[in-house]
Amino acid sequence: MSKTVLIGVTGCVAIYKTCEIIRGLQKGGVRAKVVMTESATHFINPTLFRSLTREPVAVGLFDDAPGDPIHHVSLAKEADLFLIAPCTANVMAKMAHGIADDLLTTTALATTAPIVIAPAMNVNMYENVATQQNMETLRSRGIEFVDAESGYLACGDEGKGRLADPAVIVKAVLDRLNVKRDLEGKRVLVTAGPTVEPIDAVRFISNPSSGKMGFAIAVAAHNRGADVTLVTGPVSLEDPAGIETVHVKTALEMFDAVESAFGESDIAIFTAAVSDYRPASPVERKLKKGADDAALETLELVENPDILATMASRKRPDQLVVGFAAETENVEANARKKLVGKKADLIVGNLVSHDNGFAIDENEAMLVDARASKELPRMTKAQLACAILDELSLALQ
Ligand code: PMT
């Protein structure tokens, strides 16, 4: 079960960085939920946070939360950690004095979860003795700070008060939540996305893989301390920070990139949807209807090498090889066939349908190894990535 971080958002220009914090936490496999002050809603409409988190956003102390008459208490209990980012001087002052006059500060008083504050404000407000003393009081009560940075501030002043880098805040939260670092010192190779096999200059064979599943695994492994190489077909995702990302187009290019990284890897996870066949004689120009009808009507195909099966046949006893099986029916039986046929250590079988598998943020999968099959509930790809790595981490022990 993934951890829940309640993110308290207060009224400050740096609020736009909270979006990046939410994404970073989600990539770390964490469920993020937002509570905002009334002032914060003047900067950003709660709809944006509701869309990003896919969770209701809490604002007013007396708002009607369906089926939840004591909202601040349930929010307080739901949180494994309460992050307030950005946190204004005003909210820190209230918290230092136990004032609870809105939903955010009431929840802060009601929670027993660890609290992490990332302050952001004007330099003079930050350096004011009142603010410094309030921060000291909060620190002495065990509240952690991801301190503000120095630099150019929104008000035009220079100095300390800028919200810390979202990546730094995310790391601090994941560390505090004890997100595992069990892959430290391990090298993980991940394939992702589709391959694209050219027919001519403008046509190709491919599939709808977005790369989301593979990228989620690469990021989760990186967050757990692994040294990750990600080999990806053409996708529209940004290269993840801190991960060596190799871009390829065809299955043959993916084969070469994987072959050069496989020997050094401890774990290789093949999520890519590799085209099993490619056109035998791709043409560099555009084939023309009429003149090239013969070539367009009958496409001769040749089989691509099976990257996973080839690497698994070369694997050392200390290496783990994981494949995926995208199936439209009989997921378990087909996954087991691939486990044996491709000599993998684990196959992640997933049903592909209009609302599962390709190009969406959630997936429903089954882990199949030589001993058993484990059916997992529908979850985000970030959470599935964590579940797969949990399984591999156990196998490495
Ligand atoms: O990218 P997303 O939009 O997030 O979608 C994720 C996904 C649906 C692509 C992913 O979850 C998934 O199921 N990936 C495997 C898709 C697939 O093509 O499966 P397959 O049954 O054809 O291949 C089985 C395994 O062999 C896979 O691990 C595949 O990477 C590997 N393979 C297949 C053919 C080949 N020539 N070389 C390979 O390495």
Side-chain angles (χ1 to χ4, degrees):
M1 189 62 194
S2 62
K3 306 239 171 133
T4 298
V5 173
L6 182 65
I7 307 177
V9 184
T10 72
C12 168
V13 179
I15 191 171
Y16 69 95
K17 293 187 185 170
T18 306
C19 301
E20 220 177 304
I21 296 171
I22 290 171
R23 301 302 278 179
L25 290 174
Q26 288 172 329
K27 284 179 181 168
V30 164
R31 170 179 173 238
K33 212 172 159 170
V34 169
V35 53
M36 301 171 79
T37 60
E38 203 73 44
S39 313
T41 64
H42 289 279
F43 290 84
I44 282 189
N45 190 292
T47 309
L48 178 63
F49 292 131
R50 193 163 55 236
S51 309
L52 287 177
T53 59
R54 297 181 185 194
E55 299 276 356
V57 172
V59 181
L61 193 50
F62 300 104
D63 284 356
D64 200 12
D68 190 0
I70 317 179
H71 202 186
H72 62 285
V73 175
S74 58
L75 283 172
K77 284 188 178 156
E78 208 178 351
D80 291 297
L81 186 145
F82 191 14
L83 166 70
I84 309 178
C87 189
T88 56
N90 178 51
V91 167
M92 286 196 295
K94 286 191 202 175
M95 288 172 66
H97 294 87
I99 295 171
D101 62 354
D102 60 14
L103 186 58
L104 190 152
T105 48
T106 313
T107 305
L109 202 58
T111 194
T112 53
I115 298 179
V116 176
I117 287 179
M121 67 204 70
N122 163 270
V123 56
N124 297 329
M125 292 171 80
Y126 181 88
E127 286 174 354
N128 191 295
V129 179
T131 304
Q132 288 302 314
Q133 282 180 355
N134 288 334
M135 287 173 71
E136 213 31 65
T137 303
L138 293 170
R139 261 194 201 102
S140 70
R141 293 185 197 145
I143 289 179
E144 273 181 43
F145 279 81
V146 183
D147 209 356
E149 292 173 354
S150 294
Y152 181 75
L153 304 174
C155 52
D157 286 347
E158 288 265 359
K160 199 161 179 176
R162 202 167 65 182
L163 184 71
D165 191 293
V168 174
I169 297 172
V170 168
K171 185 172 180 311
V173 170
L174 294 180
D175 285 352
R176 186 67 177 77
L177 278 175
N178 237 340
V179 171
K180 299 173 195 144
R181 300 284 295 174
D182 51 354
L183 295 179
E184 210 123 56
K186 299 289 178 204
R187 295 185 85 95
V188 176
L189 168 64
V190 183
T191 70
T195 63
V196 170
E197 313 293 337
I199 298 170
D200 68 5
V202 296
R203 300 177 180 89
F204 55 81
I205 298 175
S206 192
N207 60 69
S209 171
S210 62
K212 287 183 176 186
M213 190 65 246
F215 276 55
I217 293 177
V219 169
H222 172 72
N223 284 339
R224 287 164 80 147
D227 197 346
V228 181
T229 300
L230 173 64
V231 178
T232 178
V235 293
S236 53
L237 303 173
E238 258 180 53
D239 288 3
I243 293 178
E244 186 195 348
T245 306
V246 183
H247 293 270
V248 298
K249 285 201 178 88
T250 64
L252 291 179
E253 288 170 12
M254 186 172 275
F255 185 96
D256 289 344
V258 167
E259 191 174 39
S260 30
F262 183 74
E264 287 195 347
S265 66
D266 299 289
I267 300 173
I269 306 176
F270 296 84
T271 70
V274 183
S275 182
D276 289 317
Y277 293 89
R278 67 179 184 278
S281 320
V283 179
E284 280 190 13
R285 63 181 176 84
K286 180 182 174 184
L287 292 169
K288 289 283 189 201
K289 208 171 161 197
D292 296 309
D293 275 355
L296 283 167
E297 279 166 11
T298 317
L299 198 57
E300 199 192 324
L301 301 175
V302 287
E303 198 171 347
N304 272 323
D306 191 312
I307 308 171
L308 159 60
T310 310
M311 298 307 141
S313 72
R314 298 177 187 172
K315 89 183 178 79
R316 302 183 308 268
D318 62 332
Q319 278 177 308
L320 287 175
V321 168
V322 181
F324 268 67
E327 305 295 340
T328 51
E329 56 200 355
N330 301 330
V331 175
E332 184 175 7
N334 286 321
R336 194 156 289 287
K337 227 183 259 173
K338 282 180 181 157
L339 181 82
V340 177
K342 301 198 184 215
K343 295 194 171 66
D345 296 294
L346 175 73
I347 291 283
V348 182
N350 52 176
L351 192 70
V352 288
S353 61
H354 70 284
D355 66 347
N356 209 59
F358 287 113
I360 54 173
D361 292 321
E362 294 186 335
N363 208 354
E364 200 173 317
M366 175 177 276
L367 307 183
V368 176
D369 68 13
R371 292 164 297 129
S373 304
K374 191 196 281 182
E375 203 170 335
L376 299 174
R378 188 177 176 82
M379 54 180 81
T380 65
K381 286 183 174 169
Q383 288 166 339
L384 177 58
C386 293
I388 295 166
L389 295 179
D390 284 347
E391 205 71 17
L392 297 175
S393 174
L394 273 180
L396 282 175
Q397 282 165 14

